[in-house]
Amino acid sequence: MAATLTKKEQEHLKMKYGPMALVTGATSGIGLAIAQQLAQCGLDLVITARTTSALERLKNQLESTHGITVIALTADLSNEQSTDAFIKSIHAYHIGLAVLCAGYGTSGLFIQSKLDEEVNMLRLNCEAVLKLSHYFTKVFRAWKKGGIIFFSSIVAYQGVPHAAHYAATKAYIQSLGEALAIELKPYDVDVLVAAPGPVKTGFEQRANLQMNGAMLPETIAVPVLKALGKKSSVWPGFLSKLLIGSLHTLPRFLKIRIMQKIMGGMTRHQRTTAF
C-alpha cells in the first residue's frame, strides 16, 4: 500500500509553498502522481506536457475532484523556443513550488545511438531544467521562500554502460540540485533531489528497457513530498533505498561494473533482436 500524506503534512505543504505549484511532465508517471498529491493538499496547479488533450483531461479531473484551479499549458520542453515561451507564460502565476519531472531516457550502446535523440534528451533532461531552475531561483530568492524538486535517478551516482548518456544527464541533475540546496538555504528556499530506482511509468517503453519489479509512481510521490524541506536528497521507495544503499559504499569502479551487468540485462533484447 502506498504511503499517504497526513492532514498536517498537506496543510504544511499548502501553507509553505502555496498558493500554486508547477509540475512538468504532469500527465503521466511520477509527474501525474505528484500533481494528484498536491491537488489533494489544496494547491492550485500549473501543469505542462506535450499533449494538449491529456492536459485538459487531467485539468478537468483535478478541478472537479479537488475544487482547485488548474492552468494547463502545452509545451515541448525539449525545444528551446518552446521552453523560453513557457517560462515567459508562467510569469503571471504565483508559483511557490516547482516540481521538475519532465524527462526521458535512452539505452543501448552509445556508439549505436541516434545523435538527434540524444540531443533531444539532453535538452529536456538538462537544458530545460537549467532554465526553469534558474528562473525560479531568482524568483524564490526575492520572495525568501519557495521549493524546487529535481528528479535524478539511481543511475546518477556512477557511469552506466548501456545507458551512458542518460546516466550522464541524471548525474548533472544530481550535482546541480545538491549544490543549489546549499546556495539557496540562506534564502529559506528548499531544494530536494529525488533519486528513485526503477519506476513503472512508461519510461521503460520509450527507453526500450525490460524492467522487472519496478515501483509504482504512487509509491514515489508521497516520500518525495514528505522529504521536501527536511533534507536535500531522498531515495524514495523501498527499492530505491535497497539498490542505492547497497551500492553506496562500494568503490566507484565496482559500482560501474555492477550497473553494467544490471543495465546489460535490461537491454539484452536489443542485442538479440538487432540482426
Side-chain angles (χ1 to χ4, degrees):
M1 181 182 295
T4 58
L5 293 169
T6 66
K7 188 69 175 175
K8 184 177 180 179
E9 288 170 331
Q10 290 178 337
E11 291 172 352
H12 171 75
L13 284 167
K14 183 178 181 181
M15 186 183 345
K16 188 167 187 182
Y17 305 107
M20 181 170 274
L22 164 70
V23 182
T24 69
T27 56
S28 63
I30 297 173
L32 174 58
I34 293 239
Q36 291 170 332
Q37 288 294 331
L38 292 174
Q40 289 180 29
C41 296
L43 277 87
D44 294 331
L45 296 176
V46 175
I47 56 173
T48 186
R50 293 181 304 163
T51 308
T52 301
S53 58
L55 278 171
E56 288 299 324
R57 284 195 299 271
L58 179 59
K59 167 186 166 68
N60 294 335
Q61 183 259 316
L62 293 176
E63 288 185 331
S64 62
T65 302
H66 302 289
I68 62 171
T69 298
V70 179
I71 307 298
L73 299 174
T74 305
D76 179 1
L77 298 180
S78 68
N79 178 278
E80 183 177 4
Q81 290 72 34
S82 179
T83 300
D84 292 344
F86 173 74
I87 292 173
K88 288 181 181 178
S89 72
I90 62 177
H91 286 186
Y93 305 109
H94 196 93
I95 296 168
L97 174 63
V99 187
L100 308 180
C101 295
Y104 73 93
T106 59
S107 69
L109 296 176
F110 182 75
I111 197 171
Q112 296 174 351
S113 64
K114 297 178 180 178
L115 183 58
D116 58 340
E117 291 181 1
E118 300 299 325
V119 170
N120 189 75
M121 179 180 66
L122 181 67
R123 287 175 175 157
L124 178 60
N125 290 11
C126 298
E127 184 179 26
V129 173
L130 167 65
K131 289 186 172 186
L132 283 163
S133 58
H134 190 261
Y135 167 73
F136 281 110
T137 55
K138 290 182 175 294
V139 172
F140 294 160
R141 184 183 65 176
W143 292 351
K144 290 187 168 47
K145 62 175 292 189
I148 305 174
I149 300 177
F150 295 94
F151 278 88
S152 172
S153 167
I154 182 178
V155 302
Y157 294 98
Q158 65 287 301
V160 181
H162 303 289
H165 187 218
Y166 171 64
T169 68
K170 290 304 177 179
Y172 173 89
I173 297 300
Q174 185 71 35
S175 181
L176 177 66
E178 289 175 348
L180 290 183
I182 301 298
E183 291 187 9
L184 295 176
K185 190 173 182 179
Y187 306 103
D188 284 333
V189 177
D190 297 323
V191 177
L192 176 68
V193 189
V199 183
K200 198 170 187 60
T201 63
F203 166 89
E204 68 275 15
Q205 293 178 336
R206 186 166 186 179
N208 194 16
L209 295 171
Q210 291 183 346
M211 299 193 312
N212 296 317
M215 299 174 289
L216 295 175
E218 295 76 16
T219 67
I220 300 300
V222 171
V224 168
L225 293 174
K226 282 178 177 284
L228 180 62
K230 298 176 182 176
K231 54 179 72 174
S232 59
S233 293
V234 63
W235 305 337
F238 173 76
L239 185 57
S240 304
K241 291 180 176 63
L242 177 64
L243 292 175
I244 301 176
S246 62
L247 293 172
H248 210 56
T249 59
L250 297 178
R252 190 174 181 91
F253 80 90
L254 189 53
K255 288 193 286 187
I256 294 171
R257 291 297 187 183
I258 291 172
M259 291 305 298
Q260 178 186 20
K261 289 184 178 297
I262 293 173
M263 195 60 66
M266 290 183 181
T267 58
R268 183 177 296 113
H269 63 287
Q270 298 180 21
R271 297 185 291 282
T272 58
T273 60
F275 301 101

